[in-house]
Amino acid sequence: MNNREVADLFERIADMLEIKGEIIHRVLAYRNAAQAIREFPRDLRVTAAENALETIPGVGKIIAEKITEILDTGTLEFHERLAAEVPTGVVDILHVNGVGPKKARMFWQEAGLTTLAQLEQAAREGKLRSLPGMGAKSEQRILEGIESLRRRASDTRIPLGIALPTAERILKALRSGTQVDQFAVAGSIRRGRPTIGDVDLLITSAEPKPIMDAFVHMEEVARILGHGDSKSSVELLNGLQVDLRVVPAERWGTALCYFTGSQAHNIRIRHLALDRGLSLNEFAFTPTGGGNEILCSTEEAVYAQVGLPFIPPELREDRGEIEAAQKGTLPDLIEAGQIQSNLHMHTTWSDGTASIREMAEAARERGLRYIVITDHSRGAVIANGLSIERLQEQANEIRRVDAELNGSIRVFHGTEMEIKADGTPDFPDEVLETLDFVVASLHVSLRQPREQVTRRLIHALQNRHVDLIGHPTGQLIPDRDGADLDLEAVFTAAAASGTAMEINASPERLDLTAQNARRAQELGIPISINTDAHSIADLDNLRYGILTARRGWIESHSVINTWPVDRFVTWTRQRHE
DNA sequence: GCCGTTTTCGGCCCGACTGTTTTCAGTCG
């Protein structure tokens, strides 16, 4: 089992324990462990072999033993026992919006409902309203919840590339015609997480009521989950849940911190506040011994109150940012404005939609100084990969466009070369050495055994013509896990060869992940942030790559896209010699 | 079940909203 499957199993255990009425803190312990495992940057199997599972925060002796059992046997006896007791369908019922552990248990124990279908039928027939605390409205709510659950079952978390533009569009709509003063997208979008559970919007306004009304009556709202003066929630037609909160301007800082999270980060900040005799919530600091609230209208003021400099939202995951802030060693994070180049993009020569000239001009409009055209190589048949002959023809066109643009932006010739299933490069050395820049990527046979797929990448890294490994793991968001790679071995090879590793900015890739990129930077591996654009519009995906890099603590000195063109040319020439 | 510079016990976030309740329980974030 991989990390995600282990995490899912613990999440399931937490569900079943909660339905059983287990004390909430034991339930939360399993949920915390599941979350920690899901985000753990290393392979659990390796960590288990090192006997280091208990170094994962939230994993103690007992859960470590359970992880070991799962990894050794593929099952967990504790889970089997629970599963024999709590029907699977009751766990499904727990996931219906509006149903919590108490109701799931009541439906099961009092009404004998053990599947979603049974619950749905009972609600339709009006049989739930006789149960305590239930009425006609709750039945309706449950029916809607079941429908929503089924809608979400196909696409669980929403990619950042959908959630962020949606959030910005809603804020823009709310701001026209109403009295919105300050506004922000908070939550995991602001932290740049690759997938989003729901959208958190925060505003200040002297007159919130009309804003709330406008919000719940937007055209794209599928249903209203809540509608109050300070908080409203809706579900959009695309399944995304959006929460809108109105806060007083003088409490903007505490509220924005609180709703940006992460939860783990907030808990640490609260503890720092408690050390100073202050309790902290979304409204204010309050002296624990009594006394007046301390209000913060900015996030800077919140951090200052606990003796810290401002911590950028992308770092707020309790992954060392608080210690770094205390020591004054917060990273100087990469910013979009520092990016001078895009080293991975496609044109109509392979599977892109724009010409070389169009891509170059669009890149120039976005402030870039140089680009590399990297169409697919011949092995990528489905993507109209270039034969050696077409590659040579393309070289002529690129030289021509580069000359025509007259230095306003430089255009270089590269390839995104297949790393074939047998590990051999798709072009021979004598072809590669005619190119300015070579990206090598895995597209096929990602499900090969760990040793084999790892060997393929290492082989590519040892080719002196290869400058960059594109989207190293091959993950697709939210559907496909990356290849089962020994990334530590891959990184060791990359550090030795000086080959760059990509943070692919396409919102469906975001690969390397933030945590893997952070590790790569630690090892001194050059990082490259590229859009892998297949169209002009895709060039705007750079923002997702920047967010991911910042989440990975990436500083500008690690990113080869910040280099002026001379340095880039010198670097590639030296590598190819 | 986890955790620890108030450490081996006793905490672990709590407030808004909803629907049912006739004063509050359950859910959610």
Side-chain angles (χ1 to χ4, degrees), chain A residues 10-21 24 27 31 86-108 113-116 119 142 145-146 149 152:
Chain A
F10 283 122
E11 200 72 59
R12 210 172 165 73
I13 287 171
D15 286 346
M16 292 191 284
L17 289 174
E18 200 173 13
I19 291 165
K20 283 186 63 183
I24 191 63
V27 174
R31 291 208 197 284
V86 183
T88 326
V90 176
V91 178
D92 296 336
I93 287 172
L94 177 65
H95 295 144
V96 173
N97 196 303
V99 178
K102 302 280 168 54
K103 285 187 178 167
R105 181 184 166 87
M106 178 176 74
F107 296 149
W108 169 32
L113 304 172
T114 57
T115 67
L116 275 180
L119 178 68
I142 281 172
I146 291 172
L149 183 65
R152 277 183 289 137

Side-chain angles (χ1 to χ4, degrees), chain A residues 149-284:
Chain A
L149 183 65
R150 290 194 174 131
R151 215 167 29 233
R152 277 183 289 137
S154 48
D155 49 323
T156 43
R157 286 180 68 86
I158 308 282
L160 180 63
I162 292 172
L164 176 52
T166 303
E168 288 174 338
R169 194 176 64 241
I170 292 173
L171 272 183
K172 193 174 171 198
L174 289 179
R175 286 167 53 209
S176 71
T178 55
Q179 284 295 312
V180 176
D181 299 326
Q182 285 166 282
F183 57 93
V185 182
S188 50
I189 296 182
R190 184 157 183 249
R191 304 201 312 278
R193 278 197 61 174
T195 63
I196 304 300
D198 49 38
V199 176
D200 291 296
L201 303 178
L202 210 57
I203 59 170
T204 63
S205 173
E207 219 186 326
K209 219 173 176 58
I211 301 171
M212 288 303 192
D213 291 342
F215 175 67
V216 299
H217 292 120
M218 290 184 304
E219 205 178 315
E220 58 189 305
V221 169
R223 78 189 168 109
I224 300 169
L225 302 168
H227 183 186
D229 284 344
S230 67
K231 178 187 170 185
S232 295
S233 299
V234 299
E235 185 177 316
L236 302 183
L237 294 170
N238 66 10
L240 201 53
Q241 182 176 326
V242 185
D243 298 336
L244 174 65
R245 290 182 178 79
V246 182
V247 302
E250 64 273 20
R251 299 177 194 271
W252 176 253
T254 42
L256 187 54
C257 273
Y258 184 89
F259 290 112
T260 296
S262 69
Q263 205 175 3
H265 175 88
N266 287 352
I267 288 170
R268 293 289 309 278
I269 299 296
R270 278 202 296 274
H271 283 152
L272 289 180
L274 283 174
D275 292 345
R276 289 154 194 260
L278 298 168
S279 77
L280 169 64
N281 60 20
E282 65 264 52
F283 303 108

Side-chain angles (χ1 to χ4, degrees), chain A residues 345-364:
Chain A
M345 69 178 67
H346 300 271
T347 70
T348 47
W349 281 78
S350 64
D351 60 348
T353 61
S355 69
I356 294 168
R357 171 96 188 212
E358 287 165 338
M359 290 302 275
E361 288 177 343
R364 186 178 61 187

Side-chain angles (χ1 to χ4, degrees), chain A residues 22 42-43 63 183 219 232 262-263 265 273 281 288 291 301 359 396 430 466 473 492 498 565:
Chain A
E22 182 60 71
R42 303 183 52 217
D43 193 320
I63 290 186
F183 57 93
E219 205 178 315
S232 295
S262 69
Q263 205 175 3
H265 175 88
N281 60 20
T288 45
M359 290 302 275
N396 296 330
E430 57 268 29
V466 173
T473 76
T492 303
V565 64

